[in-house]
Amino acid sequence: MASSEQSHVPAEVKAEISKLELPPLIHRDFVEISSDTGDIVRVMQWNILAQGLCGGADNFMKCPKEALEFESRKLRVLEEITRYCPTVICIEEVDFYPYLFECLSKLGYAGVYSEKPDSPCLYQTNNIGPDGTAILYDTSKLVLSQSDSKILKENGQQSNHVTVIAQFQTKTKDPKIFYVGATHLKAKRGYEEKRKLQGQYISNYLQENCNDAPVIYCGDFNAEATEPVYSVMKSCSIGLNSAYTLLSKNNEEPKYTTWKIRPKGEECHTIDYIWYSNKGLKVKSVLNIAVEEEIGKNRLPSLKYPSDHLSLVCDFLLL
């Protein structure tokens, strides 16, 4: 296993976290999948948990109130992102994008952001604005060639969910072109068909617009691997695989990417994915899923972790 810590965390963030006397973030390690070498792109996928959705009727039952306060959470989100030095960052439920963009731009990141047409955050008291999906990238390593933001459609009808897709070119001796996309599909049980239709829209878009170069597509799909939308993505004609199945000998998804305690009970399942195309990409390493002991008995979020979703991080070899 390779160390998870490359620590790009800004000194001022470390200092503020130290003042708050917060515990270290959940520890995780990278698992090497391939010993091959070459041009590497590190991609992070993470639903960071919108600040506007930290309260309300479906709140996190065992999470200390201080762990949900914005002044500490925004630091912990930034800490989690920067400690892995990702080349590309795909994040959902982003309702404090100006803060993240300002901080990350000082580290050389730029980005593309798209709000939901009608964000649920706006219906919560003390919200800080609408949430959306963003892709940020390390400008020292990549050039943004083009980007697109689309409202997902379901049988031709506009939904309340978006996707962001960007085409990048590496700043290497032999420049390579690839696409990265991100999305956040409809949540909760009973919306399986809606998620399937949203997935079909994404699959069709990728087939029609991103068939000329490798594709990495990330998101909180709010769907387990047994749902139709998972099959839709897997059967996309550009040939998509789920990176985190490589942690399993049987090519199965992890047991969980989110683990929380709601009023109706405990929720522990995998709904977040990093998909990648067969063409032009190979997984070099994958950030392991945190073990139960690290997560803790009160689950997520917590003082050790600012979101109810674990970040997913993969190193891809560009072939």
Side-chain angles (χ1 to χ4, degrees):
M1 288 190 180
S3 170
S4 65
E5 298 299 331
Q6 293 192 16
S7 210
H8 207 169
V9 182
E12 59 269 29
V13 172
K14 287 183 179 179
E16 288 299 316
I17 289 170
S18 178
K19 286 180 187 176
L20 294 170
E21 298 183 345
L22 294 169
L25 285 169
I26 287 172
H27 175 78
R28 300 161 71 187
D29 290 303
F30 280 95
V31 177
E32 186 175 80
I33 304 297
S34 170
S35 59
D36 292 354
T37 59
D39 294 336
I40 293 176
V41 171
R42 174 167 289 184
V43 176
M44 168 182 268
Q45 149 59 30
W46 194 23
N47 178 330
I48 65 174
L49 176 59
Q51 187 63 32
L53 300 180
C54 283
D58 61 348
N59 207 341
F60 309 101
M61 301 300 292
K62 298 293 183 71
C63 180
K65 288 183 179 179
E66 56 268 32
L68 298 174
E69 293 175 355
F70 182 54
E71 290 308 308
S72 62
R73 279 197 69 244
K74 68 180 184 181
L75 295 169
R76 304 244 77 180
V77 168
L78 192 59
E79 182 185 19
E80 172 70 0
I81 290 172
T82 56
R83 71 170 170 160
Y84 297 121
C85 301
T87 317
V88 182
I89 306 161
C90 297
I91 44 178
E92 301 85 44
E93 284 197 27
V94 186
D95 61 351
F96 50 103
Y97 183 73
Y99 169 80
L100 286 177
F101 181 78
E102 180 184 358
C103 294
L104 290 168
S105 65
K106 293 176 183 177
L107 297 175
Y109 288 91
V112 183
Y113 174 64
S114 182
E115 294 176 0
K116 289 178 181 173
D118 186 23
S119 169
C121 292
L122 296 176
Y123 300 94
Q124 305 298 321
T125 57
N126 302 318
N127 72 78
I128 57 173
D131 75 303
T133 295
I135 296 178
L136 298 106
Y137 64 99
D138 185 341
T139 58
S140 71
K141 297 178 179 178
L142 301 176
V143 174
L144 177 64
S145 305
Q146 60 185 26
S147 65
D148 198 4
S149 297
K150 292 288 185 181
I151 297 173
L152 302 182
K153 291 184 178 180
E154 303 153 5
N155 284 336
Q157 300 299 309
Q158 180 175 304
S159 75
N160 191 37
H161 297 79
V162 300
T163 183
V164 180
I165 296 146
Q167 185 193 74
F168 295 108
Q169 181 173 298
T170 60
K171 290 184 175 181
T172 53
K173 185 180 256 188
D174 178 22
K176 293 181 173 67
I177 293 172
F178 65 100
Y179 294 93
V180 177
T183 196
H184 184 194
L185 302 190
K186 175 66 180 175
K188 299 186 178 178
R189 292 181 178 85
Y191 292 99
E192 292 80 7
E193 182 63 20
K194 185 178 282 284
R195 286 189 286 270
K196 176 185 175 182
L197 295 173
Q198 291 176 344
Q200 287 173 341
Y201 180 88
I202 292 166
S203 179
N204 290 339
Y205 182 95
L206 296 178
Q207 290 168 188
E208 294 169 8
N209 298 280
C210 307
N211 208 16
D212 59 333
V215 174
I216 301 166
Y217 196 87
C218 304
D220 172 2
F221 280 69
N222 277 305
E224 296 184 25
T226 53
E227 272 202 33
V229 68
Y230 187 92
S231 298
V232 167
M233 295 300 292
K234 200 167 179 60
S235 62
C236 181
S237 68
I238 65 171
L240 294 175
N241 296 311
S242 176
Y244 266 72
T245 61
L246 296 175
L247 288 176
S248 163
K249 292 179 181 178
N250 300 320
N251 286 339
E252 296 176 346
E253 294 291 349
K255 181 182 176 183
Y256 51 84
T257 59
T258 180
W259 197 347
K260 53 207 165 195
I261 302 174
R262 297 289 204 188
K264 292 184 179 179
E266 201 158 341
E267 297 180 16
C268 176
H269 46 199
T270 288
I271 56 177
D272 307 275
Y273 306 95
I274 297 181
W275 296 94
Y276 67 100
S277 61
N278 297 317
K279 180 175 67 176
L281 291 169
K282 188 172 187 178
V283 176
K284 170 73 173 172
S285 60
V286 176
L287 183 65
N288 213 345
I289 297 296
V291 297
E292 181 177 353
E293 291 74 21
E294 273 291 312
I295 289 174
K297 65 180 182 179
N298 293 331
R299 311 315 183 198
L300 303 173
S302 69
L303 289 170
K304 290 183 68 178
Y305 207 75
S307 175
D308 54 325
H309 293 251
L310 292 168
S311 65
L312 307 182
V313 186
C314 290
D315 289 332
F316 288 98
L317 286 163
L318 293 171
L319 306 177

